[in-house]
Amino acid sequence: MLDILEAFFSEYGYAAVFLVLVACGFGVPIPEDITLIAGGVISGLGHTNVHVMNLVGLLGVLVGDGMMFLLGRRFGPNILKVRFVSKVMTPYRYAQVQEKFAKYGNWVLFVARFLPGLRTPIFISAGMSGKISFWRWLAMDGFAALISVPLWVYLGYFGAANKDWLLEKAHQFQYGLFTLIGIGAAVLFYFWWRKRQRRRFFYAKREELRRKRQR
């Protein structure tokens, strides 16, 4: 996949990288990280400027993700009737997304950038809910993109001359990111659980006081 994207991007430059990243936002099964790495590789080979490529990468991922969010906002639950959406938003994935929103709230929008299989369903669901403003979504996804996009683009840039080293480091970074996400999710779950326990304790005490007054 990396070699195919590298050849395509070398031929058509920034526009090709941007369009492929937008397609990734629509759930097209092309790995976003490999796309960004390929963009960095052609910069390392002298076809493009790496800093401009980084900006193109940021714009591409935000436009692709944003279109999914806005389609969910515009059409609501009716968007699930659209053919390509129903393929991405399967009942199982929809249930997964709802569960993650219930547990982690808006932070799931940040984590979604690092979850390829759930990214598109999460952004569509966020738009469908009507509870999350576009600017809040943009802040969460934009913050995550500022971490992930430069990581992959500059990795491709510095590893352009050594593909074996590049792929090895890409796998290491992927494992590292998943580990950090897992730790972060565990921490968020702990604070959510503690908050829930405190709320239960508060309501139990209030109910106990109410019963004592009634006596």
Side-chain angles (χ1 to χ4, degrees):
M1 177 64 78
L2 178 59
D3 291 335
I4 295 172
L5 289 173
E6 179 190 336
F8 180 55
F9 295 162
S10 297
E11 183 73 21
Y12 298 104
Y14 301 117
V17 176
F18 175 80
L19 291 175
V20 170
L21 288 171
V22 172
C24 290
F26 277 78
V28 174
I30 301 174
E32 186 180 276
D33 51 355
I34 298 300
T35 301
L36 292 167
I37 288 173
V41 167
I42 67 167
S43 295
L45 296 175
H47 297 291
T48 55
N49 180 283
V50 67
H51 306 303
V52 176
M53 182 61 71
N54 184 49
L55 292 176
V56 170
L58 285 168
L59 185 61
V61 299
L62 290 176
V63 168
D65 294 346
M67 290 178 75
M68 291 297 95
F69 177 86
L70 292 173
L71 285 172
R73 172 63 59 85
R74 173 66 178 83
F75 296 103
N78 289 328
I79 197 173
L80 297 177
K81 299 176 184 177
V82 178
R83 195 169 191 177
F84 89 89
V85 174
S86 64
K87 289 182 179 180
V88 175
M89 184 85 84
T90 63
Y92 175 71
R93 281 183 176 173
Y94 186 74
Q96 280 185 300
V97 168
Q98 298 309 309
E99 179 187 359
K100 292 186 184 303
F101 267 115
K103 283 186 178 180
Y104 309 122
N106 292 341
W107 278 103
V108 78
L109 298 174
F110 173 83
V111 176
R113 169 118 310 277
F114 309 98
L115 301 174
L118 291 176
R119 183 186 304 134
T120 300
I122 285 173
F123 293 147
I124 292 174
S125 295
M128 286 169 55
S129 71
K131 298 177 181 179
I132 300 168
S133 71
F134 174 79
W135 297 112
R136 178 180 290 275
W137 167 83
L138 182 61
M140 301 299 282
D141 190 43
F143 179 44
L146 285 173
I147 297 173
S148 65
V149 172
L151 172 68
W152 299 125
V153 170
Y154 287 104
L155 176 64
Y157 175 75
F158 289 112
N162 189 339
K163 296 291 180 63
D164 292 334
W165 176 89
L166 175 60
L167 293 175
E168 180 184 349
K169 290 299 179 183
H171 289 309
Q172 289 177 358
F173 284 152
Q174 284 174 335
Y175 292 140
L177 284 172
F178 287 141
T179 300
L180 289 175
I181 290 168
I183 294 171
V187 170
L188 287 173
F189 178 78
Y190 171 72
F191 283 110
W192 170 81
W193 179 81
R194 280 193 62 185
K195 184 178 179 181
R196 187 176 180 183
Q197 292 300 109
R198 288 177 179 175
R199 187 177 297 173
R200 283 182 175 178
F201 178 77
F202 171 77
Y203 285 129
K205 282 292 185 183
R206 190 171 69 176
E207 183 65 18
E208 183 181 343
L209 288 173
R210 187 184 66 81
R211 288 177 179 175
K212 284 182 179 179
R213 288 173 183 172
Q214 288 179 346
R215 292 175 188 172

